[in-house]
Amino acid sequence: MGDHKEQQPVRVGAAVRRRRRALELTLAVVAERSGLSVPFLSQVENDRARPSSTSLEKLADALRTTAVELLAAADPAASVDVVRAEPVAEGDFDPRTRALVRGHHQLHASEFTGDHDAGRELQHRNDELMYVADGAVEIEAEGRAYRLGRGDTLYLTGGVRHRWRATVPDTRIIVVAVAEHIEAVQNRSR
């Protein structure tokens, strides 16, 4: 098994179907406008056929959009990515931050080992989860202090101001957050 990323082509079918339905068009109307056949369009929408760049342009024109917009709205390519642990020299207790996810995804995950700049206040646009893998931390969020030990988690909704510090040497926390480029749905009804 290698440490690599396996990726499939982008699946544009669902984006085409969503756009067609938003415009309240039938496959027959899109076929007429694009010059592509109804069976081919059906296969595209069901991801059983991939349109060429020329066909995608025709399809985009028929749907009053661009090929770039259809690709941007496409379902993300299926992927598997392994991020291996980095070797740490014995006796190296320097604080470290390591990304656990590579690339541009909906989730961002990082591992923090050692102490952290406790004076630095953080505020993220989207929700995040902090998990204490080893050690202990003290987290101040919205004016309240929380002490977390190994195995504890803290969930913060987007916009919560917070800061944290390790209270035990060699503390290791994992932070998983919705990426900043994602427009999260705000449901604040309580």
Side-chain angles (χ1 to χ4, degrees), residues 35-50:
L36 303 170
S37 72
V38 170
F40 175 70
L41 293 174
S42 176
Q43 289 180 338
V44 168
E45 284 193 1
N46 291 298
D47 288 317
R48 290 193 302 265
R50 279 186 284 149

Side-chain angles (χ1 to χ4, degrees), residues 4 11 28-29 39 42 45 69-70 86 97 112 115 124 143 145 166 189:
H4 61 284
R11 297 180 314 237
V29 169
S42 176
E45 284 193 1
E69 288 294 321
L70 284 176
E86 299 168 357
T97 301
F112 297 90
D115 208 355
H124 303 286
S189 59

